[in-house]
Amino acid sequence: MSEETKEYAYFLGCITPNRYPGIEVATKKVFKEFGIETKEMEGASCCPAPGVFGSFDMYTWLPIAARNLAIAEEMGLEIYVTCNGCYGSLQEADHLLKEHPKLKEKTNEILGKFGREYKGTTEVHHSIVIMHDDIGLDRLKEKVTKPMKDVNVAIHYGCHFLKPSEVRGHGSSETPYILEDIVKAIGAKDVDYKDKLMCCGAGGGVRTADTPTALEWTRQKLVSMIEEGADCVIHPCAFCHLQLDRGQYEMNEAFGTSFDLPVLYVLQLVALAMGFSEKELALDQQTTKMPEKLLK
Amino acid sequence: MGTLVEDLIEWGGGVLGEEHMETLMSCVQCGKCTGGCPSGRITALRTRKLFKMAQENMVEEIFNAPELWYCTTCYTCYERCPKGVKCTDIIRTIRNLAAKAGHMSVPHRKIGVYALKTGHGVPIGPDQMKIRESIGLDEMAPTTQKYKEQLEQFQTICKETGFDALIDFDWDKMNLKE
Ligand code: SF4
Ligand code: SF4
């Protein structure tokens, strides 16, 4: 990508703006440093969550997602997201609607009730792909003022960023590389651990219906990170952030454990490495606390 | 109404494509999906068994099986199935049919209530508004929860598709009936 300014519509979803706005701020700040401007999507809604609303009624899931896509189309912009759920939902809906003209027609009958139309003129990107592919690792390295030396990072991919790989197109879901590359570019070390590719346990309505089960799932994953000496866990998904961060408080309450493994959206760790402060990124206002190692 | 397999192909096929759904018939019960399923480690969910039950038209047993709702939709099984069975999407479609047949838990229906009231499955609260302001953001993002006319579009979709009836929503109380 050239050095000139590029504009995107930021699809916020629910968890980012309504639970962890630090993710929103970090992404906007980092992107601005690289000449990427963010426009708000007025009137956007829940994506809606693919494993939740997609599980309840896919005929409701699709037009809601299409309406969100139509908002970006009206702005004439492509979309970026900071949540795997949003990515999964919007990208899958866009894919289905582009593939099946009849489905598009039916969907537009509903959107037409309030004067909107899905045309198929936008694209859905994950913010970490913009970081990795468009900004690129070389330009990222140039902006790192506080390299994350001696920091062991456990990478958690979540589900819908990589899978289904036939739609996502980020290579094999068994051998991912994007977050590993970003972690190395900011001077940190990625540590391999037993359950690296396991999901966080919250998706598909499991957290909603049975929180203790979702927490047990997350607990097993955290233990395997800690066993390998992780100083923090990074991820590309606001919903995973909720489960991993808030979940540690919940599991300490429920199981009498004392977990305190710092959780960061990957661009929050990048922002720290670029010199932004803990406070600016709201990392002092979540459950897990940031250690000195990440802040100095 | 046909067999469960026919219903799955019809319902799921309308959105995901019939070929996608027909992959259910390619399942040879090898168990690779179950071997990698993180849910199966700690819950009774056995994907292999679920697909066998679906092929054998065990409708009531599937719709009443609590484990149907213990899949996080992580897509591990979907990625690994050697026969190309679109496992996760088949599970999502079975859930759609189960929900239509009245098998939807109260917590799940309540997520629907949040959505119908705000356009968000997870709406904002006062604490988060303060955090937003402390880092230089508007107290509320410019979404359906801020603009009534935008929320009405979201609600129109849910009325058109019958999502309100699916969760038994009462528009007067703006909550679940009963
Ligand atoms: S991996 Fe595929 S073929 Fe094997 S049991 Fe599971 S769904 Fe059937
Ligand atoms: S998508 Fe569901 S059934 Fe498949 S591996 Fe993941 S949790 Fe198990």
Side-chain angles (χ1 to χ4, degrees):
Chain A
M1 203 185 89
S2 65
E3 301 281 331
E4 76 212 23
T5 312
K6 175 146 190 190
E7 245 179 28
Y8 282 96
Y10 184 2
F11 179 78
L12 291 165
C14 301
I15 311 281
T16 299
N18 296 344
R19 288 293 177 276
Y20 288 97
I23 295 175
E24 182 179 337
V25 155
T27 308
K28 287 178 180 168
K29 283 187 190 299
V30 168
F31 278 5
K32 206 172 167 57
E33 287 288 310
F34 294 104
I36 294 174
E37 291 295 331
T38 296
K39 283 268 178 320
E40 308 274 357
M41 288 177 61
E42 298 256 329
S45 67
C46 180
C47 56
V52 181
F53 291 90
S55 288
F56 300 161
D57 181 28
M58 49 183 82
Y59 290 84
T60 302
W61 163 79
L62 186 66
I64 293 176
R67 178 180 167 278
N68 286 323
L69 293 164
I71 293 174
E73 291 182 350
E74 289 160 20
M75 298 164 74
L77 294 175
E78 296 186 359
I79 293 170
Y80 77 72
V81 297
T82 48
C83 175
N84 287 356
C86 300
Y87 190 50
S89 215
L90 296 186
Q91 207 206 35
E92 186 185 4
D94 195 45
H95 172 78
L96 290 168
L97 291 165
K98 279 176 179 160
E99 293 275 302
H100 306 288
K102 259 209 183 131
L103 201 55
K104 179 172 148 185
E105 207 177 291
K106 273 196 192 155
T107 304
N108 277 333
E109 273 171 31
I110 299 178
L111 302 193
K113 305 261 174 210
F114 40 80
R116 289 203 132 119
E117 186 190 356
Y118 166 88
K119 296 196 176 75
T121 55
T122 188
E123 295 285 336
V124 183
H125 305 276
H126 199 299
S127 53
I128 66 171
V129 178
I130 295 178
M131 179 82 250
H132 186 277
D133 292 358
D134 298 349
I135 295 169
L137 302 170
D138 291 336
R139 285 175 70 203
L140 169 58
K141 282 180 199 158
E142 282 168 21
K143 294 267 188 200
V144 171
T145 54
K146 294 181 170 179
M148 292 286 154
K149 209 170 151 288
D150 301 324
V151 175
N152 289 331
V153 178
I155 292 170
H156 166 80
Y157 270 96
C159 310
H160 300 136
F161 171 66
L162 294 167
K163 297 170 281 187
S165 54
E166 62 194 13
V167 182
R168 303 289 173 256
H170 305 308
S172 162
S173 60
E174 306 287 351
T175 51
Y177 59 91
I178 291 181
L179 291 178
E180 286 78 356
D181 286 352
I182 295 174
V183 163
K184 276 178 218 143
I186 58 171
K189 182 170 178 279
D190 87 271
V191 292
D192 207 0
Y193 61 98
K194 189 174 69 184
D195 293 322
K196 182 165 169 183
L197 294 178
M198 184 167 100
C199 74
C200 74
V206 173
R207 178 182 162 89
T208 309
D210 184 352
T211 311
T213 296
L215 290 175
E216 170 53 23
W217 199 309
T218 313
R219 189 194 67 78
Q220 292 187 11
K221 181 147 189 165
L222 287 168
V223 166
S224 86
M225 291 173 187
I226 292 163
E227 274 172 359
E228 298 303 329
D231 295 309
C232 64
V233 46
I234 60 122
H235 61 79
C237 175
F239 193 50
C240 294
H241 197 107
L242 176 75
Q243 178 68 3
L244 294 169
D245 180 64
R246 178 79 192 158
Q248 290 188 54
Y249 166 79
E250 291 166 344
M251 78 185 72
N252 291 345
E253 291 284 301
F255 311 143
T257 48
S258 51
F259 284 105
D260 190 19
L261 185 67
V263 179
L264 301 95
Y265 182 72
V266 58
L267 294 182
Q268 287 179 305
L269 188 65
V270 166
L272 287 177
M274 287 168 62
F276 292 103
S277 74
E278 178 191 27
K279 205 171 163 52
E280 284 174 283
L281 306 169
L283 284 167
D284 57 343
Q285 302 202 57
Q286 58 177 38
T287 298
T288 56
K289 297 290 164 247
M290 296 301 125
E292 258 319 286
K293 220 177 179 179
L294 297 186
L295 304 175
K296 61 174 196 260
Chain B
M1 276 216 351
T3 62
L4 179 58
V5 171
E6 284 164 1
D7 289 352
L8 286 170
I9 292 171
E10 198 191 335
W11 185 264
V15 172
L16 305 167
E18 285 186 5
E19 277 173 33
H20 205 77
M21 301 308 298
E22 279 161 6
T23 59
L24 172 58
M25 296 318 287
S26 309
C27 172
V28 293
Q29 292 288 295
C30 73
K32 194 173 177 189
C33 50
T34 306
C37 173
S39 181
R41 270 199 207 180
I42 53 172
T43 75
L45 176 62
R46 297 291 177 270
T47 44
R48 185 177 66 89
K49 181 175 162 200
L50 199 66
F51 299 144
K52 185 77 183 160
M53 288 165 77
Q55 286 177 344
E56 294 189 353
N57 202 34
M58 296 167 70
V59 183
E60 281 311 306
E61 290 86 343
I62 289 194
F63 285 1
N64 285 296
E67 60 265 30
L68 178 61
W69 297 92
Y70 278 106
C71 162
T72 61
T73 71
C74 79
Y75 282 91
T76 304
C77 52
Y78 181 110
E79 290 284 294
R80 292 181 182 169
C81 172
K83 300 299 286 180
V85 178
K86 305 297 181 190
C87 309
T88 315
D89 289 345
I90 290 166
I91 294 172
R92 287 198 300 164
T93 311
I94 299 175
R95 287 175 168 184
N96 271 223
L97 297 183
K100 258 203 323 167
H103 301 274
M104 199 172 168
S105 73
V106 172
H108 284 152
R109 289 162 60 209
K110 280 193 177 152
I111 292 241
V113 171
Y114 288 131
L116 284 170
K117 284 168 78 169
T118 66
H120 288 282
V122 182
I124 197 158
D127 292 350
Q128 288 89 21
M129 288 189 194
K130 277 190 212 128
I131 296 178
R132 289 184 63 87
E133 285 189 314
S134 78
I135 50 175
L137 296 169
D138 292 343
E139 68 168 18
M140 219 191 260
T143 65
T144 44
Q145 64 191 343
K146 188 166 173 187
Y147 301 118
K148 193 166 167 275
E149 67 283 6
Q150 299 282 351
L151 174 62
E152 282 166 3
Q153 296 186 2
F154 183 97
Q155 293 169 333
T156 299
I157 294 176
C158 295
K159 285 178 188 164
E160 285 291 322
T161 62
F163 184 74
D164 51 350
L166 183 75
I167 65 164
D168 230 356
F169 189 74
D170 184 331
W171 285 100
D172 292 328
K173 290 198 318 204
M174 288 306 279
N175 210 331
L176 298 177
K177 286 183 188 152
E178 97 235 348

